[in-house]
């Protein structure tokens, strides 16, 4: 079930503030986050995130095609053998 249009996408406020700060300073280091449920918004494009999967951090570079998806979709939690 998706979130209602009236509410808009869920974006972690703390993470969004970090992205704005990194954009202003021009810093290129990855942003570490545990917020897998955060929706990717256009302001995140071009940023690199370290998304935690419960065990390790996966580097995720955000592109335009990822807008609207969740950060957790790009950091798999299961190992297929």
């Amino acid at each position: 079930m998706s979130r209602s249009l009236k509410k808009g996408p869920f974006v972690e406020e703390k993470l969004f503030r970090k992205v704005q700060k990194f954009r202003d300073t021009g810093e290129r280091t990855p942003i570490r986050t545990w917020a897998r449920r955060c929706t990717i918004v256009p302001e995140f494009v071009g940023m690199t995130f370290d998304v935690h999967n419960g065990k390790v951090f996966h580097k995720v570079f955000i592109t335009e095609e990822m807008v609207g998806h969740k950060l957790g979709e790009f950091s798999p939690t299961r190992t297929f053998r």
Side-chain angles (χ1 to χ4, degrees), residues 2-48:
S2 62
R3 191 169 162 95
S4 74
L5 292 175
K6 182 175 75 172
K7 291 181 184 178
F10 173 77
V11 180
E12 193 77 37
E13 286 184 45
K14 187 176 178 182
L15 183 62
F16 192 73
R17 277 188 262 128
K18 273 188 184 179
V19 169
Q20 287 179 332
K21 187 177 87 174
F22 273 55
R23 285 247 183 240
D24 294 341
T25 61
E27 206 167 329
R28 302 299 297 167
T29 58
I31 299 172
R32 276 196 158 193
T33 183
W34 286 260
R36 298 172 54 84
R37 63 185 180 162
C38 179
T39 304
I40 297 171
V41 292
E43 287 82 5
F44 291 3
V45 173
M47 303 292 293
T48 304

Side-chain angles (χ1 to χ4, degrees), residues 40-58:
I40 297 171
V41 292
E43 287 82 5
F44 291 3
V45 173
M47 303 292 293
T48 304
F49 290 92
D50 280 341
V51 183
H52 198 255
N53 75 343
K55 186 174 181 181
V56 296
F57 287 92
H58 289 279

